[in-house]
Amino acid sequence: MAERATGDLAAQFEDEKPGRVLSGPAGLLLTAAALAVGALALWQVFRPLSQGSKYYLIIFLAGVLPLVFLAYPADLRLPARLRTRRRQASTRPTVTDWALGALAVAACLYPVLPIQIGSGGGGYNAFLDRQGLLAPTDLVLGTVLLLLLLEACRRTTGWILPAVCLLFLGYGYYGGLLPQSWPVAHAGLDFSQLVDAFYNSDSGFYGTPLDVAASYIVLFTIYGAVLELSGAGRFFVELSAAAFRRSRTAAGRTAVASGFLLGTVSGSGAATTVSIGAVTWPLLRRAGYPPERAGGMLAAAGVGAILSPPTLGAAAFIIAEYLGVSYLQVLGWATVPTVLYYLGILLAVEIDARRSGVRPVVIDVGSPWRLLARFGYHFASLIAIIVFLAVGVSATRAVVFAIVLTVALSFLAPKNEDRAHRLTPGRLVTALVTGVRGVLAVTAVCAAAGIITATTTKTGLGPQAAALLIGGAQAATSDPTLVLVLTALLAAVALTLLGLAVPVTASFVIGWVIVGPALLDLGVTAPAAAMFVFYFAVLSEVSPPTALAAVAAAAVTGGRLVPTMWQTLRYALPAYLIPIAFVITPAGLGLLGIGGIQRIAFAAAVTALSVAVLAVAAGGWLPGVGPAGAPERVLGALAGVTLLWLEPVPVAVGAALAVVAAAGVFIRRGSADRSSSGSPANPLEEQL
């Protein structure tokens, strides 16, 4: 029951809305369809359909989109007299839901059905032959699929993403009416051209985002479900607690370590926040953490799950596809920033423990070595993914092999109470259905993202928006370096604001087609530009005023929402600054593991110093010394930001400022000690 409650709470704060718990015939149908989709995804890894990847995407979407209408209610506001009836019916699909599901099957399968319908139909090859010149039937069913995808997005993510898609659709249709002197004006597209771009091209509904969802994300969600059912989530939390059980900051360290490890199972910031909060918040409360500070720590640690190898967020797979690189390379790019991110959180935890007088707590767990000996096999599949990728196995095959390994190792559970986590055939079916259900909303978002990418491609909006962004920076300065810095800052603000409105995956896709070209035009390398967009898309989960992870954390701790958000920002500060570091200077590529050992070591060491100085400035405490005053904190903040400019002169200036700030803290402590020793002793002062 506790696990069910945690899952329900997590669902409330996801980018995607919570769905129905189906039973009866609808539940059986969803289970059967999800099994078929999961089996098809696994089959495609080893025996790809001979008709090609687009054919597979059509079949995949035909299996997934109808399930969205069954699993997610319309959730429309109704008159008061109908609300009671609506609540009673919310646990089962309505007639409208069934009708939309049937219509989705027809619209999705139409391109591959060998049935002649007027001048349309006739099978897959005939459909492709009509690209650029759709038949009336093609146009009708393409329009139906467009509307169904918008409704699926509305049901799963809310109104904003469909509104953004409609905005792009309107731009494609009415853009020709704009004054041609405007940079964003274009020749204009008629509706049939737009539908053709969406329905019968490789950049529309069946473009890269949907390909990633159908080829990668579904497999990793199945893998996460298998790991969770095998008991890996519980083991990761217990291991984190055992590793720090004798430390003064055990509670805080446990929360941070749990966030990192549970990210391999969840891959979702809000879900990880709720999962670790359910276990570690009682420890944090006993240690004396205020609810807001504990909530900030939990949210920052949870969002790190999306940034941390070996299972990054869904957008990471899109990066690999867009740039034509292996997923292993993307993992390599994320490694150093992940270490620096968690370094910043851990330093903040240590500072808070000393500044707030956190009490040691006794964590009643066994030895970490004993836990590793009994349950360490849970790490095997995670390590196996990296090994398989390193020897050249594709990411899809690597995760399937990891699933098989997890299933086999689940039978190593030595005691009766552990056998509940053995992955028997029945539990495997549950994992497969859970994994496919977990990709329903993502699939709807990825398919709808084709509206944005196709419109951008057809109208040339990407280069035009890039020119506007660069032009805004050039209006302030003509220095090329400062233009790059200002463009990066403007892009960071734009991406953050975009992420407040749409889910992470859609935010990355939009950001890449709009902001990516601007960075590339200024000489930023493709890996740096892509990871820059990725990080700021992810950070929407901790950015006010939405900050889903912070909202979830506040729900767990009972803390005030706005202070929890600001505490989250303080803990997650490195994640906002490090992406800027690896786009404004060539040396910053070392943070992505690019450029040789010397560059990587220099960039990592200097940025680690920057993270440490910023943690002291934000926390107001120098570990081992004492509190930092306002002058030292200001100097520390300047030092930390200057160090991120990874060039010799700024690094020297930043290091000097950091030394001055540290010296100020030492002097302040010495003055306090002398004042304390020189003051007359009295019992009341000693008690205070």
Side-chain angles (χ1 to χ4, degrees):
M1 293 297 293
E3 292 181 359
R4 174 73 173 275
T6 300
D8 291 342
L9 182 61
Q12 296 177 30
F13 303 103
E14 289 287 351
D15 283 335
E16 296 85 22
K17 295 180 179 179
R20 297 183 175 107
V21 177
L22 297 176
S23 58
L28 291 175
L29 178 61
L30 184 140
T31 299
L35 281 174
V37 170
L40 176 63
L42 293 170
W43 179 268
Q44 179 72 6
V45 173
F46 299 98
R47 293 288 186 272
L49 298 179
S50 59
Q51 295 90 340
S53 61
K54 185 174 180 179
Y55 189 92
Y56 164 65
L57 296 181
I58 292 172
I59 302 299
F60 181 85
L61 187 61
V64 169
L65 186 59
L67 299 184
V68 173
F69 297 108
L70 300 184
Y72 291 86
D75 198 24
L76 294 171
R77 294 187 179 276
L78 298 177
R81 67 181 184 276
L82 298 178
R83 287 177 188 170
T84 302
R85 184 183 302 175
R86 166 68 178 79
R87 282 196 294 268
Q88 292 173 349
S90 62
T91 57
R92 61 179 184 271
T94 64
V95 174
T96 303
D97 296 332
W98 286 107
L100 291 176
L103 198 57
V105 172
C108 290
L109 288 182
Y110 165 76
V112 300
L113 292 178
I115 302 173
Q116 195 71 34
I117 305 176
S119 58
Y124 183 56
N125 291 331
F127 179 74
L128 294 182
D129 290 340
R130 294 193 297 274
Q131 187 172 7
L133 190 62
L134 297 185
T137 312
D138 302 333
L139 184 61
V140 170
L141 288 171
T143 304
V144 168
L145 184 55
L146 168 65
L147 296 175
L148 289 172
L149 286 172
L150 292 175
E151 170 61 9
C153 285
R154 188 199 64 78
R155 290 187 178 214
T156 55
T157 66
W159 288 96
I160 296 179
L161 181 56
V164 171
C165 291
L166 288 173
L167 181 64
F168 274 83
L169 180 64
Y171 170 72
Y173 187 74
Y174 292 108
L177 301 179
L178 296 174
Q180 291 303 303
S181 59
W182 289 15
V184 295
H186 60 87
L189 301 169
D190 62 36
F191 190 70
S192 63
Q193 289 176 306
L194 288 169
V195 173
D196 178 74
F198 301 152
Y199 198 34
N200 201 355
S201 77
D202 293 334
S203 63
F205 302 145
Y206 306 110
T208 298
L210 181 61
D211 190 13
V212 167
S215 302
Y216 297 95
I217 300 173
V218 64
L219 297 177
F220 275 86
T221 56
I222 292 172
Y223 171 60
V226 168
L227 266 184
E228 181 63 40
L229 288 176
S230 72
R234 185 187 70 176
F235 162 68
F236 291 150
V237 174
E238 290 180 353
L239 179 64
S240 301
F244 304 116
R245 70 189 191 281
R246 296 180 182 176
S247 168
R248 178 183 177 184
T249 54
R253 291 180 181 179
T254 298
V256 176
S258 299
F260 172 71
L261 293 175
L262 278 178
T264 60
V265 179
S266 170
S268 164
T272 305
T273 298
V274 172
S275 297
I276 62 177
V279 177
T280 61
W281 164 233
L283 301 176
L284 295 169
R285 182 173 52 213
R286 283 162 47 198
Y289 280 94
E292 293 78 15
R293 188 162 293 172
M297 182 193 307
L298 293 172
V303 168
I306 315 177
L307 305 173
S308 304
T311 52
L312 300 172
F317 298 101
I318 301 179
I319 291 175
E321 289 296 306
Y322 277 165
L323 301 189
V325 300
S326 69
Y327 182 59
L328 182 62
Q329 277 192 273
V330 180
L331 295 184
W333 298 339
T335 299
V336 174
T338 297
V339 172
L340 293 171
Y341 178 73
Y342 279 101
L343 171 65
I345 298 178
L346 287 172
L347 287 172
V349 168
E350 299 297 324
I351 289 170
D352 283 350
R354 287 153 179 79
R355 185 181 181 185
S356 304
V358 170
R359 300 181 297 271
V361 295
V362 178
I363 301 178
D364 187 17
V365 292
S367 163
W369 302 112
R370 185 174 301 173
L371 279 173
L372 281 171
R374 289 181 59 193
F375 304 111
Y377 61 84
H378 287 300
F379 284 114
S381 63
L382 297 171
I383 297 171
I385 289 178
I386 303 298
V387 173
F388 285 133
L389 292 174
V391 298
V393 177
S394 67
T396 53
R397 292 197 175 197
V399 72
V400 172
F401 292 151
I403 291 171
V404 173
L405 181 60
T406 303
V407 173
L409 293 178
S410 70
F411 289 90
L412 294 180
K415 291 189 176 182
N416 290 335
E417 62 266 22
D418 300 324
R419 291 177 182 173
H421 293 296
R422 291 184 175 181
L423 294 168
T424 59
R427 292 176 64 79
L428 275 177
V429 169
T430 300
L432 199 62
V433 173
T434 302
V436 172
R437 176 151 185 167
V439 84
L440 295 184
V442 176
T443 300
V445 169
C446 287
I451 299 171
I452 297 165
T453 55
T455 302
T456 303
T457 301
K458 282 283 188 180
T459 61
L461 178 61
Q464 294 165 344
L468 283 175
L469 194 60
I470 296 172
Q474 289 175 335
T477 178
S478 59
D479 182 84
T481 302
L482 292 179
V483 168
L484 174 58
V485 173
L486 286 176
T487 301
L489 292 175
L490 290 173
V493 172
L495 289 168
T496 301
L497 293 175
L498 176 65
L500 301 179
V502 298
V504 171
T505 305
S507 178
F508 173 81
V509 172
I510 299 171
W512 178 247
V513 299
I514 301 298
V515 173
L519 297 175
L520 296 174
D521 288 347
L522 291 175
V524 177
T525 63
M531 294 302 287
F532 178 91
V533 176
F534 171 69
Y535 271 83
F536 280 102
V538 170
L539 288 172
S540 62
E541 292 216 5
V542 292
S543 299
T546 54
L548 293 178
V551 175
V556 172
T557 65
R560 293 170 297 162
L561 182 56
V562 173
T564 299
M565 288 183 178
W566 288 118
Q567 289 294 332
T568 304
L569 281 178
R570 182 170 67 86
Y571 279 103
L573 182 62
Y576 285 90
L577 298 176
I578 291 173
I580 295 176
F582 55 65
V583 299
I584 61 175
T585 62
L589 288 175
L591 295 174
L592 299 177
I594 299 173
I597 297 298
Q598 185 175 355
R599 175 189 278 182
I600 296 170
F602 169 77
V606 173
T607 310
L609 175 61
S610 172
V611 168
V613 174
L614 287 170
V616 172
W621 192 280
L622 182 61
V625 182
E632 293 84 16
R633 296 177 73 174
V634 171
L635 281 176
L638 290 174
V641 173
T642 305
L643 285 167
L644 290 173
W645 195 301
L646 297 172
E647 296 292 343
V649 174
V651 168
V653 172
L657 290 173
V659 170
V660 172
V665 179
F666 275 100
I667 293 171
R668 183 180 297 275
R669 177 180 175 177
S671 299
D673 289 343
R674 286 192 299 272
S675 175
S676 175
S677 62
S679 61
N682 64 70
L684 180 59
E685 286 184 353
E686 292 180 1
Q687 291 175 15
L688 293 174

